[in-house]
Amino acid sequence: MARAGAPLALAAALVAGVLTGCSAPASTAVSAPAAPAATAAPSPSPSASAPVPAAAAPALPAVPRVDAGLPASAPAVPEPARVEVPALGVDVSVVPEGIDDAGALALPEDPGVAAWYEYGPSPFADAGSSVIAAHVDSLQYGLGDFAALAGAPAGTEVLVRSADGTTARFAVVSVETTDKTGVPGATVFDRTGAPRLTLITCGGEFDYGAGHYLSNVIVTAAPVP
């Protein structure tokens, strides 16, 4: 379950450099995606506003700051443990993460492990955008499964599984490759509105001078009854 006392409103102008980890290219630059930037804080009281992390290398959208006082007792919602896109061969484990010391979403170095922004909605919640991101590639681990997301057709099935075996089914609605400076943070990290799943990774051209991809691949998927 998401941490009850976590700064749910800690969505703030977050990174401009979230997926700084999609830096070292595999042997060649991959037209894949980027990860989300979030603002996670230690664990202040529900009413405390999250600190604004320092901007890192351009990587992901700025997370909009929202007022988030947690209700006295938030309902338990399963946490995601795995994401699968059978048609694309995507099958990665998922771990909950906040932000790292650089102010970017903390992502596992292995592209085979994705990070769920734990201070935002869960894929099993009934409202808001649940954000899960992963590196597109790594010199040590090679190309990651999320590299395939750029080619996901509308309607592609996405499965999110929790540790207790609960499965949430989604269908891809859109796939966008956006310059890192133009990612709609308010939409990506929205905690309200219809429930949806947002998958992010690095993509587009690789800037060898800067050491990172210039774009983000953002996949939006809607729940399937």
Side-chain angles (χ1 to χ4, degrees):
M1 289 140 300
R3 296 181 188 172
L8 261 188
L10 70 221
L14 207 203
V15 247
V18 191
L19 236 227
T20 326
C22 287
S23 45
S27 49
T28 57
V30 180
S31 292
T39 105
S43 275
S45 63
S47 60
S49 57
V52 178
L60 189 55
V63 181
R65 180 178 291 280
V66 294
D67 180 17
L70 276 178
S73 106
V77 178
E79 291 186 357
R82 192 159 214 86
V83 169
E84 301 171 25
V85 185
L88 301 179
V90 175
D91 186 355
V92 302
S93 57
V94 178
V95 295
E97 293 286 3
I99 56 170
D100 59 22
D101 292 338
L105 176 65
L107 297 178
E109 293 184 9
D110 184 350
V113 181
W116 162 56
Y117 180 49
E118 65 178 329
Y119 297 116
S122 159
F124 301 92
D126 57 9
S129 171
S130 178
V131 178
I132 296 179
H135 290 311
V136 65
D137 60 14
S138 161
L139 284 175
Q140 179 178 354
Y141 298 97
L143 192 64
D145 284 9
F146 268 31
L149 294 178
T156 299
E157 181 182 52
V158 180
L159 304 176
V160 179
R161 305 186 190 282
S162 67
D164 67 5
T166 303
T167 299
R169 289 178 166 75
F170 297 83
V172 172
V173 173
S174 66
V175 177
E176 302 176 75
T177 297
T178 307
D179 182 88
K180 291 180 183 296
T181 61
V183 176
T187 299
V188 171
F189 293 93
D190 185 12
R191 299 169 182 283
T192 64
R196 64 268 195 202
L197 174 67
T198 303
L199 303 177
I200 306 176
T201 187
C202 289
E205 181 181 353
F206 187 84
D207 185 332
Y208 286 87
H212 59 73
Y213 287 92
L214 299 178
S215 305
N216 289 315
V217 170
I218 303 175
V219 175
T220 302
V224 174

